[in-house]
Amino acid sequence: MGNTLMTVLGIGFIFIMTAAGSAVVYFFKKDVSEKANTLFMGFASGIMIAASVWSLLVPAIEEAASAGYGKWSFAPAAVGFILGGLFLVVIDKIVPHIHRAGLEEGPPSRMTKSAKMFLAVMIHNIPEGLSVGFAFGVAVANGDTSSFVSALGLALGIGIQNFPEGAAVALPIKSVTGSGNKAFIYGAASGAVEPLFAVAGYFLAAHISALQPWLLAFGAGAMIFVVAEDLIPDAKLAEHPHLGTWGVMAGFVIMMILDVALG
């Protein structure tokens, strides 16, 4: 498989899986059960945590070392990681949205509840798209096939967790709007930001080599922020601690295997 084809497939896959997950609204009449939601959100959390570490932070430190940072190779990873979280804080402040747990953030707005739920998921998907784009951009700059395969592994992992995530998003919207078509459109559209931001991240990382370690860590920080603020609370681990914890561990192991096997 050529490097260009891997890039196109990886960026496209993360959106396709979100849309496929959203399509379950046509097969389920009700929202997912609380236990299933705990498992899905835990699984997504595990994948994103592992992806942040294995596919983004570790490569960020390695890129910094190769760039001559020496004993300060941790600096771009640490600073970029914090900046990724701050980026999500800013987005939270300027975009009106409502989390699945019922918490509303952003400026006052007369938007419908379903629209605010859509925006919450869209915000969540931004760092995923950026991270995949950064990974492929670094691969282009490095020019070796192994970097492309590793980036493809990251895209596969994020795409896998996008399927249950897409279902967990579209079904509540269906219960609010009463329309399967609207729920599917909202769910699929929320994933459309992923390839858009992936392309933006790709060109940034590919053409500004000095920023590569910083950008990889930025993506990791943004994803961990989403895990801590959205996925873990939505998983309601307090009600089903063992189920949610095993979901996290399963997601982490799957992403770790993908990264090591393909990296």
Side-chain angles (χ1 to χ4, degrees):
M1 187 185 299
N3 295 341
T4 301
L5 180 58
M6 279 193 280
T7 302
V8 173
L9 286 177
I11 291 176
F13 183 70
I14 55 178
F15 166 70
I16 290 170
M17 291 300 284
T18 302
S22 301
V24 303
V25 295
Y26 296 114
F27 305 98
F28 290 86
K29 294 182 178 180
K30 298 180 179 180
D31 197 354
V32 292
S33 69
E34 189 174 280
K35 287 186 177 180
N37 179 74
T38 296
L39 185 62
F40 290 165
M41 294 298 102
F43 180 77
S45 299
I47 283 185
M48 290 181 71
I49 292 169
S52 297
V53 176
W54 297 98
S55 301
L56 297 171
L57 285 177
V58 171
I61 295 171
E62 292 173 347
E63 289 286 332
S66 299
Y69 281 83
K71 66 179 181 180
W72 293 97
S73 297
F74 66 87
V79 175
F81 186 84
I82 297 300
L83 290 176
L86 290 175
F87 170 73
L88 265 294
V89 170
V90 172
I91 296 296
D92 277 348
K93 296 293 184 182
I94 64 177
V95 179
H97 58 285
I98 181 171
H99 297 278
R100 294 184 72 236
L103 175 65
E104 290 201 41
E105 290 187 300
S109 172
R110 295 183 178 180
M111 289 182 181
T112 62
K113 183 178 179 180
S114 57
K116 289 181 179 180
M117 291 174 69
F118 160 76
L119 288 173
V121 181
M122 185 189 72
I123 292 170
H124 174 174
N125 287 335
I126 288 174
E128 296 177 9
L130 283 174
S131 297
V132 171
F134 291 153
F136 278 109
V138 170
V140 168
N142 291 341
D144 58 292
T145 300
S146 62
S147 295
F148 280 95
V149 175
S150 180
L152 183 61
L154 172 62
L156 288 174
I158 290 179
I160 289 170
Q161 66 94 20
N162 275 352
F163 183 87
E165 196 174 75
V169 167
L171 287 168
I173 291 179
K174 181 181 179 181
S175 67
V176 171
T177 63
S179 169
N181 289 334
K182 286 184 179 179
F184 171 73
I185 291 171
Y186 273 124
S190 71
V193 301
E194 291 183 310
L196 292 177
F197 277 87
V199 170
Y202 171 86
F203 282 106
L204 275 173
H207 297 291
I208 311 178
S209 58
L211 289 180
Q212 288 175 3
W214 303 81
L215 293 174
L216 289 171
F218 181 95
M223 289 212 297
I224 292 298
F225 186 93
V226 167
V227 170
E229 186 183 58
D230 293 340
L231 296 184
I232 296 298
D234 286 350
K236 298 181 180 179
L237 296 183
E239 284 81 357
H240 308 287
H242 287 173
L243 187 63
T245 301
W246 279 112
V248 172
M249 294 181 70
F252 189 97
V253 168
I254 288 174
M255 187 66 240
M256 181 179 66
I257 291 171
L258 281 173
D259 188 83
V260 175
L262 297 178

